[in-house]
Amino acid sequence: MKAVYLTGHGGNEVVAIGERPMPVRQAGEVLVRLQAATLNRVDLYMRDSGAGITHSLPQVMGIDGAGLVVEVDEGHPTLQVGDRVLLYPGVTCGHCEFCVRGEEVLCTSMKLLGEHRDGTMAEYICIPARNAVPMPEGWSFEEAAALGVNHLTAWRMLMTQARLKPWETVLVFGIGGGVSLAGLQLAKAMGPRVIVTSREQDKCDRALALGADAAICSRTQDVVKEVMRLTGKRGVDVVFENIGAAVWDSALRSAVRGGRIVTCGATTGDQPGADMRRVFIRQLQIYGSTLGNLAELRDLVRFCAQHDLRPVMDRVYAMDEAHAALDRLASGEQFGKVAVRIV
Ligand SMILES: [Zn+2]
């Protein structure tokens, strides 16, 4: 089968496009003919380093994906051949303390597609049947694929960790990236007021067109000063951030007393200064979050179908253009998801 796979680490020359062995389905698994995958920051991390992530080479890239069920156990209670499904990217043990608690995202032996095992940028994948979730009606495979990582991450950050309320205000840093846009879309659909930031004015303008209530261009404006102006000197209830060191101080100073800060990434550095006095005197709550549980993905899919809330797509590339797709993500110029169509 045709696949995009890693042969080593360091730059685009280690990314190969070619033949990989066809996976063989085991009992309890589905064989899915993938139609689309979208790119995530971790694809760049796997390409460039992969340090700290147990894996072997060559390995098929891609963490999220959607496609058609082509083989499944006979008499499976919910899945049939021909079903359009998106994939939950974590294969978990089902037995550890965290799996038993329903928090399989914390599973001690979690294997993620495209990180610890072959991923979704391939014509076929075998995966436990529970990981295949029916797609919303009428959606493209690219749109459905995008829910499995970015939207799931944003959903857990807002719903499970920060427990966002409809009357609150949320500040989303770095609009344009997949998780931040998912945060904007989900938060708006839940009801709250949403303020976004970006270094680029045109990304601010596009976020406003998507429903953001206010946008702060951090290249020309002081984020904290603007947040205070927009909130009557109060600060926001929830700060949603995945940028790390470059914005951490602003994140702490933008939150209302007792406010929540939820973070799922640190692309600009993971060792910011920590104003501990501000954290305890103002009783700020800081949540770390990554990905989400299968049950959260199922809730998210229902929510998105109900609101016809589709991920914002940047560009769709053919499989043969995988190098250009990765470059597009690395450039930081994208607005929305960079997708790869699998044919
Ligand atoms: Zn487990």
Side-chain angles (χ1 to χ4, degrees):
M1 63 166 185
K2 189 170 173 179
V4 178
Y5 61 97
L6 287 176
T7 59
H9 298 291
N12 252 344
E13 57 274 16
V14 302
V15 177
I17 303 165
E19 285 296 311
R20 294 295 303 148
M22 181 76 187
V24 179
R25 189 182 75 88
Q26 310 293 316
E29 292 185 335
V30 278
L31 175 66
V32 174
R33 171 67 172 89
L34 288 155
Q35 304 288 320
T38 75
L39 301 187
N40 295 282
R41 299 286 324 173
V42 69
D43 293 312
L44 295 175
Y45 181 75
M46 290 306 294
R47 179 193 71 175
D48 296 337
S49 154
I53 296 177
T54 307
H55 63 287
S56 55
L57 297 172
Q59 179 169 278
V60 176
M61 298 184 78
I63 294 160
D64 58 37
L68 298 160
V69 173
V70 291
E71 268 183 39
V72 59
D73 287 345
E74 206 170 315
H76 190 278
T78 57
L79 291 174
Q80 296 174 29
V81 170
D83 283 355
R84 295 156 63 95
V85 294
L86 63 98
L87 301 182
Y88 176 68
V91 179
T92 55
C93 78
H95 304 293
C96 72
E97 172 190 348
F98 306 100
C99 282
V100 168
R101 205 193 282 171
E103 286 272 46
E104 70 259 37
V105 71
L106 299 174
C107 177
T108 50
S109 55
M110 164 88 91
K111 303 248 184 315
L112 287 160
L113 306 180
E115 290 188 44
H116 308 97
R117 54 182 280 163
D118 279 338
T120 52
M121 277 192 242
E123 288 179 290
Y124 293 93
I125 193 169
C126 284
I127 192 163
R130 67 194 296 274
N131 287 58
V133 178
M135 281 171 46
E137 289 285 328
W139 281 36
S140 72
F141 288 105
E142 288 83 4
E143 290 167 335
L147 292 185
V149 175
N150 281 175
H151 274 65
L152 177 57
T153 301
W155 177 265
R156 181 171 173 87
M157 289 170 78
L158 293 175
M159 297 294 276
T160 310
Q161 310 286 27
R163 297 181 303 283
L164 185 62
K165 309 289 190 300
W167 54 87
E168 292 184 322
T169 300
V170 55
L171 173 65
V172 178
F173 274 98
I175 205 69
V179 178
S180 304
L181 275 169
L184 165 62
Q185 288 185 301
L186 293 172
K188 277 315 296 176
M190 292 168 194
R193 182 179 182 213
V194 183
I195 303 170
V196 302
T197 79
S198 173
R199 289 174 54 76
E200 312 299 333
Q201 186 60 49
D202 72 307
K203 291 190 179 184
C204 287
D205 295 342
R206 294 179 74 174
L208 290 168
L210 279 171
D213 297 282
I216 302 169
C217 180
S218 56
R219 197 189 292 278
T220 56
Q221 291 176 296
D222 180 319
V223 171
V224 178
K225 209 183 273 181
E226 273 303 294
V227 166
M228 290 304 157
R229 186 183 70 75
L230 290 163
T231 57
K233 299 185 185 162
R234 178 181 178 271
V236 298
D237 301 282
V238 172
V239 175
F240 179 106
E241 94 85 14
N242 63 353
I243 295 173
V247 305
W248 190 246
D249 183 58
S250 302
L252 289 184
R253 291 191 297 128
S254 296
V256 68
R257 288 166 175 262
R260 293 97 79 200
I261 297 158
V262 57
T263 177
C264 73
T267 45
T268 61
D270 59 5
Q271 305 284 329
D275 185 348
M276 292 302 294
R277 193 173 293 125
R278 176 173 288 269
V279 171
F280 66 74
I281 288 177
R282 292 180 172 249
Q283 303 198 33
L284 302 178
Q285 301 169 67
I286 298 171
Y287 297 88
S289 199
T290 188
L291 203 64
N293 293 317
L294 182 56
E296 291 172 308
L297 178 59
R298 288 180 173 273
D299 289 343
L300 165 70
V301 169
R302 275 206 299 275
F303 184 87
C304 289
Q306 224 169 60
H307 294 266
D308 198 26
L309 192 162
R310 302 185 187 213
V312 178
M313 304 309 293
D314 178 65
R315 287 187 195 169
V316 181
Y317 292 84
M319 233 174 159
D320 289 329
E321 302 169 317
H323 297 107
L326 287 160
D327 285 343
R328 175 77 182 159
L329 180 66
S331 76
E333 286 168 9
Q334 80 282 2
F335 190 86
K337 294 299 285 174
V338 177
V340 174
R341 183 168 294 147
I342 296 158
V343 286

